[in-house]
Amino acid sequence: MLNQKGVSSESNPKMKPEYNELSYLVTRQCLHQEEFIQLSQYDRHKPTPAEQIVNSVRNFKPCSTLLGFVPIFQWLPKYSLKQDLMGDVAAGITCAVMQIPQGMAYGLLAGVDAKVGLYMAFFHCLIYAVFGTSRHISMGTFAVVSLMTAKVVATYSTVSAKDFNSTDFAAEGVPVDPAVVLQPQYTPIQVATAVSFIAGCFHIFMSVLRLGTLSSLLSEPLVSGFTTAAAVHVLVSQLKDLLGVSIPRYKGAFKNIFSVRDIIQQVPNSNLTAVYTSIIVILFMIFMNEYLKPLASKRCKFPIPAELMVVVGGTVASYLLGLGPNFNVTLVGTIPVGLPAPEMPPLALIKMVAVDSIALTIVSYSIVMSMGLIFAQKEGYEVRPNQELIAMGATNIIGSFFSCVPTACSLSRSLIQHQSGGKTQIAGVMSSMLILVVLLWVGPYFETLPRCVLAGIILVALKGMLWQVKHIKKFHMEGTLELFVWLVTFFSVAVIDIDIGLLIGVLFSLVALYIKGWKSYYSLLGTVPDTAIYVDIGSHQRAEEIPHIKIFKYSGAINFASKSSFKKTLIKEVGVCQKLVHRASSYDAAGEGAGLHIIKTVIIDLSSVPHIDTAACKTFKDIKKELENVGVSTLMAAPSDCVYDTLIHAQSIGEGDFHIFPTVHDAVLYAQGCGSAV
């Protein structure tokens, strides 16, 4: 501790800290809580539903509501061409270059055609620019959301008779039962758009219910474990393309284990051309990401488009060498020119995929909000959670009419958009315009691109997510519960399945949260001489207990779940229990044997209790009655307004008659005899 002259008093035990000479003296009457309430004129008025409706109508401002619902009307008139345009153009071009290979790769990862990722890069960026509040995130495809979509697509999509001999399904190794032809046929894109539509509806519904804080249920260990395990799923899903083999698609729990088993069995049948191509792509991407890009970033803000270079090079090489027809390498396939015609997702599918879309809805929103808050904190602006729900809802619903799968923001693209000088969502608009050029004219040139090239790009991009396994050490240092949440979530998602594992992780995270909240802090208080300040006697050596008075402070909520532990702790700490009845009867008039039986008053300090319920009040009543049986009175001090309201309500229904004081010192003075004057 440093004194006023900056000299450490701990280095010289003879030195005493210099205290401020200012002092104050307060003289007032000792007050009960009821008297203080009258003095402060406390009135907690709860408006009726009718009053709430009237106030809402009275405070409704159409213009402000419209501007809040469509944020682009707020920031676009203030847009500075001189300060922001060049940065947004550079960031838009950079993100568009990344969107092309990532969109195609993650489109395939979602179980649909590669062109769908390009559609998302166009439509989603435009729609989010109108409704979103984050200025820096890049909407479109994201690996985890694409993988979760692929699970639903694999569950509900069917193979029609005309597609029986198609290259895509042969590459997937999907066995076709002739009876399936008689069932209603749903293509993968129909299932994916239905998931997008219902996810958007869920986002809008969550916004109406003001559930923007729901993403806080996903703690950091939970998110880290989930995304790391999801990266394992992505890795397993790409192994067949890397090796050029065909395996059946599995649905439900433990599909990763079955897929890995089949891939190991198919290794001898690998397409060596696909394997060599994959190795070349992976080595090139590692060299670019680990060595060349860091060096180039020091001299140029525009990042090297390594992914685009690989896509263009792979397409050219495949076309010149005929990798598809000559070496049986699976290609991306047909990419039609133009934008898709608007089409409503099948209503029957929307009902079928509703339950499966809930986990995807929460995960995608949590990713967008977490990234948005990171950039908002760096740049000093606000991201509104409920408006982000509206933005994602509009993006998914409108996108579902144009062959788009559920959206989220890409972590890598968002970072690049920020680092490239992006200031607003005009960067997203610029990116969409460049993607439009690709869709209208350039798209067909990528039809000969081998799928193993995209699989190699995805595999290298997973490094950051897979390296999150290093977080185990961090969470272990934070606490055992954090470590268990990470491990349980990771193994549940990686071994069982994405949605089931996420549910298990959320439940375990909530249990861990309850355990943390259930653990409470309690102490006995004493006063530092000549201060009337009450502190923990276990931590403050000069603090002294007041004769015949025990002051018990409890930190934490007291409710039906914690009432028993509260009562047990209080009785134990203040030293009053049933066996003291016999000791009290043998108390000698000389005052010898000073011990626990000389306690006359117990004061319960409620200043750190945020909430109580009626069950807690009944426990207070039982404690008061039991202490009175051994000649000890019970006082309550320093409740917050909400705790006081609950105590008064309990008294009104006959669950106690409590002596309540506004401060601990008032209760002490009352116990010492000042209460007789009140």
Side-chain angles (χ1 to χ4, degrees), residues 378-391:
K378 286 183 178 179
E379 299 297 331
Y381 62 90
E382 179 186 7
V383 172
R384 292 183 281 136
N386 285 295
Q387 181 59 34
E388 287 299 295
L389 285 171
I390 294 175

PDB file of all heavy atoms in Angstrom, residues 378-391:
ATOM      1  N   LYS A 378     -14.388  -2.224 -31.477  1.00  0.00           N
ATOM      2  CA  LYS A 378     -13.156  -1.655 -32.005  1.00  0.00           C
ATOM      3  C   LYS A 378     -13.379  -0.276 -32.606  1.00  0.00           C
ATOM      4  O   LYS A 378     -12.550   0.632 -32.442  1.00  0.00           O
ATOM      5  CB  LYS A 378     -12.568  -2.585 -33.067  1.00  0.00           C
ATOM      6  CG  LYS A 378     -11.924  -3.844 -32.519  1.00  0.00           C
ATOM      7  CD  LYS A 378     -11.308  -4.663 -33.649  1.00  0.00           C
ATOM      8  CE  LYS A 378     -10.621  -5.911 -33.110  1.00  0.00           C
ATOM      9  NZ  LYS A 378     -10.037  -6.713 -34.212  1.00  0.00           N
ATOM     10  N   GLU A 379     -14.489  -0.102 -33.326  1.00  0.00           N
ATOM     11  CA  GLU A 379     -14.717   1.133 -34.071  1.00  0.00           C
ATOM     12  C   GLU A 379     -15.637   2.116 -33.355  1.00  0.00           C
ATOM     13  O   GLU A 379     -15.864   3.229 -33.846  1.00  0.00           O
ATOM     14  CB  GLU A 379     -15.309   0.795 -35.448  1.00  0.00           C
ATOM     15  CG  GLU A 379     -14.396  -0.062 -36.314  1.00  0.00           C
ATOM     16  CD  GLU A 379     -13.095   0.650 -36.645  1.00  0.00           C
ATOM     17  OE1 GLU A 379     -13.101   1.901 -36.716  1.00  0.00           O
ATOM     18  OE2 GLU A 379     -12.066  -0.031 -36.831  1.00  0.00           O
ATOM     19  N   GLY A 380     -16.206   1.728 -32.219  1.00  0.00           N
ATOM     20  CA  GLY A 380     -16.982   2.660 -31.416  1.00  0.00           C
ATOM     21  C   GLY A 380     -18.362   2.966 -31.951  1.00  0.00           C
ATOM     22  O   GLY A 380     -18.787   4.126 -31.988  1.00  0.00           O
ATOM     23  N   TYR A 381     -19.107   1.946 -32.400  1.00  0.00           N
ATOM     24  CA  TYR A 381     -20.500   2.162 -32.774  1.00  0.00           C
ATOM     25  C   TYR A 381     -21.350   1.060 -32.163  1.00  0.00           C
ATOM     26  O   TYR A 381     -20.841   0.146 -31.513  1.00  0.00           O
ATOM     27  CB  TYR A 381     -20.670   2.220 -34.297  1.00  0.00           C
ATOM     28  CG  TYR A 381     -20.284   0.959 -35.038  1.00  0.00           C
ATOM     29  CD1 TYR A 381     -21.209  -0.054 -35.277  1.00  0.00           C
ATOM     30  CD2 TYR A 381     -18.989   0.779 -35.523  1.00  0.00           C
ATOM     31  CE1 TYR A 381     -20.871  -1.204 -35.960  1.00  0.00           C
ATOM     32  CE2 TYR A 381     -18.632  -0.372 -36.211  1.00  0.00           C
ATOM     33  CZ  TYR A 381     -19.578  -1.362 -36.428  1.00  0.00           C
ATOM     34  OH  TYR A 381     -19.233  -2.500 -37.107  1.00  0.00           O
ATOM     35  N   GLU A 382     -22.655   1.132 -32.359  1.00  0.00           N
ATOM     36  CA  GLU A 382     -23.582   0.225 -31.683  1.00  0.00           C
ATOM     37  C   GLU A 382     -24.146  -0.794 -32.657  1.00  0.00           C
ATOM     38  O   GLU A 382     -24.514  -0.463 -33.787  1.00  0.00           O
ATOM     39  CB  GLU A 382     -24.740   1.018 -31.059  1.00  0.00           C
ATOM     40  CG  GLU A 382     -25.770   0.156 -30.352  1.00  0.00           C
ATOM     41  CD  GLU A 382     -26.976   0.936 -29.865  1.00  0.00           C
ATOM     42  OE1 GLU A 382     -27.074   2.133 -30.205  1.00  0.00           O
ATOM     43  OE2 GLU A 382     -27.821   0.350 -29.171  1.00  0.00           O
ATOM     44  N   VAL A 383     -24.198  -2.036 -32.207  1.00  0.00           N
ATOM     45  CA  VAL A 383     -24.894  -3.098 -32.932  1.00  0.00           C
ATOM     46  C   VAL A 383     -26.105  -3.495 -32.105  1.00  0.00           C
ATOM     47  O   VAL A 383     -25.969  -3.878 -30.943  1.00  0.00           O
ATOM     48  CB  VAL A 383     -23.977  -4.315 -33.154  1.00  0.00           C
ATOM     49  CG1 VAL A 383     -24.769  -5.483 -33.721  1.00  0.00           C
ATOM     50  CG2 VAL A 383     -22.843  -3.957 -34.098  1.00  0.00           C
ATOM     51  N   ARG A 384     -27.303  -3.366 -32.696  1.00  0.00           N
ATOM     52  CA  ARG A 384     -28.546  -3.633 -31.967  1.00  0.00           C
ATOM     53  C   ARG A 384     -28.964  -5.092 -32.157  1.00  0.00           C
ATOM     54  O   ARG A 384     -29.239  -5.521 -33.279  1.00  0.00           O
ATOM     55  CB  ARG A 384     -29.647  -2.699 -32.445  1.00  0.00           C
ATOM     56  CG  ARG A 384     -29.390  -1.241 -32.058  1.00  0.00           C
ATOM     57  CD  ARG A 384     -30.537  -0.347 -32.470  1.00  0.00           C
ATOM     58  NE  ARG A 384     -30.485  -0.018 -33.884  1.00  0.00           N
ATOM     59  CZ  ARG A 384     -31.542  -0.032 -34.680  1.00  0.00           C
ATOM     60  NH1 ARG A 384     -32.715  -0.392 -34.213  1.00  0.00           N
ATOM     61  NH2 ARG A 384     -31.418   0.289 -35.950  1.00  0.00           N
ATOM     62  N   PRO A 385     -29.018  -5.873 -31.067  1.00  0.00           N
ATOM     63  CA  PRO A 385     -29.300  -7.312 -31.185  1.00  0.00           C
ATOM     64  C   PRO A 385     -30.616  -7.626 -31.871  1.00  0.00           C
ATOM     65  O   PRO A 385     -30.669  -8.493 -32.749  1.00  0.00           O
ATOM     66  CB  PRO A 385     -29.292  -7.789 -29.725  1.00  0.00           C
ATOM     67  CG  PRO A 385     -28.443  -6.800 -29.005  1.00  0.00           C
ATOM     68  CD  PRO A 385     -28.694  -5.491 -29.683  1.00  0.00           C
ATOM     69  N   ASN A 386     -31.695  -6.951 -31.490  1.00  0.00           N
ATOM     70  CA  ASN A 386     -32.989  -7.275 -32.082  1.00  0.00           C
ATOM     71  C   ASN A 386     -33.073  -6.843 -33.539  1.00  0.00           C
ATOM     72  O   ASN A 386     -33.742  -7.495 -34.343  1.00  0.00           O
ATOM     73  CB  ASN A 386     -34.113  -6.619 -31.267  1.00  0.00           C
ATOM     74  CG  ASN A 386     -34.368  -7.338 -29.962  1.00  0.00           C
ATOM     75  OD1 ASN A 386     -34.795  -8.478 -29.930  1.00  0.00           O
ATOM     76  ND2 ASN A 386     -34.082  -6.658 -28.867  1.00  0.00           N
ATOM     77  N   GLN A 387     -32.403  -5.757 -33.909  1.00  0.00           N
ATOM     78  CA  GLN A 387     -32.375  -5.360 -35.313  1.00  0.00           C
ATOM     79  C   GLN A 387     -31.556  -6.355 -36.134  1.00  0.00           C
ATOM     80  O   GLN A 387     -31.869  -6.602 -37.310  1.00  0.00           O
ATOM     81  CB  GLN A 387     -31.793  -3.952 -35.462  1.00  0.00           C
ATOM     82  CG  GLN A 387     -31.741  -3.435 -36.886  1.00  0.00           C
ATOM     83  CD  GLN A 387     -33.106  -3.380 -37.547  1.00  0.00           C
ATOM     84  OE1 GLN A 387     -34.109  -3.109 -36.895  1.00  0.00           O
ATOM     85  NE2 GLN A 387     -33.142  -3.613 -38.848  1.00  0.00           N
ATOM     86  N   GLU A 388     -30.532  -6.935 -35.534  1.00  0.00           N
ATOM     87  CA  GLU A 388     -29.773  -7.961 -36.235  1.00  0.00           C
ATOM     88  C   GLU A 388     -30.642  -9.190 -36.511  1.00  0.00           C
ATOM     89  O   GLU A 388     -30.485  -9.851 -37.537  1.00  0.00           O
ATOM     90  CB  GLU A 388     -28.548  -8.367 -35.409  1.00  0.00           C
ATOM     91  CG  GLU A 388     -27.442  -7.337 -35.389  1.00  0.00           C
ATOM     92  CD  GLU A 388     -26.901  -7.058 -36.778  1.00  0.00           C
ATOM     93  OE1 GLU A 388     -26.315  -7.965 -37.394  1.00  0.00           O
ATOM     94  OE2 GLU A 388     -27.081  -5.923 -37.257  1.00  0.00           O
ATOM     95  N   LEU A 389     -31.564  -9.490 -35.605  1.00  0.00           N
ATOM     96  CA  LEU A 389     -32.511 -10.577 -35.861  1.00  0.00           C
ATOM     97  C   LEU A 389     -33.394 -10.250 -37.059  1.00  0.00           C
ATOM     98  O   LEU A 389     -33.674 -11.113 -37.899  1.00  0.00           O
ATOM     99  CB  LEU A 389     -33.368 -10.822 -34.618  1.00  0.00           C
ATOM    100  CG  LEU A 389     -32.693 -11.550 -33.460  1.00  0.00           C
ATOM    101  CD1 LEU A 389     -33.576 -11.526 -32.225  1.00  0.00           C
ATOM    102  CD2 LEU A 389     -32.375 -12.992 -33.841  1.00  0.00           C
ATOM    103  N   ILE A 390     -33.853  -8.991 -37.136  1.00  0.00           N
ATOM    104  CA  ILE A 390     -34.663  -8.578 -38.287  1.00  0.00           C
ATOM    105  C   ILE A 390     -33.847  -8.672 -39.570  1.00  0.00           C
ATOM    106  O   ILE A 390     -34.335  -9.145 -40.607  1.00  0.00           O
ATOM    107  CB  ILE A 390     -35.193  -7.147 -38.076  1.00  0.00           C
ATOM    108  CG1 ILE A 390     -36.181  -7.112 -36.903  1.00  0.00           C
ATOM    109  CG2 ILE A 390     -35.851  -6.613 -39.351  1.00  0.00           C
ATOM    110  CD1 ILE A 390     -36.668  -5.718 -36.557  1.00  0.00           C
ATOM    111  N   ALA A 391     -32.592  -8.217 -39.510  1.00  0.00           N
ATOM    112  CA  ALA A 391     -31.734  -8.257 -40.699  1.00  0.00           C
ATOM    113  C   ALA A 391     -31.505  -9.687 -41.169  1.00  0.00           C
ATOM    114  O   ALA A 391     -31.602  -9.983 -42.370  1.00  0.00           O
ATOM    115  CB  ALA A 391     -30.399  -7.577 -40.393  1.00  0.00           C
TER     116      ALA A 391
END
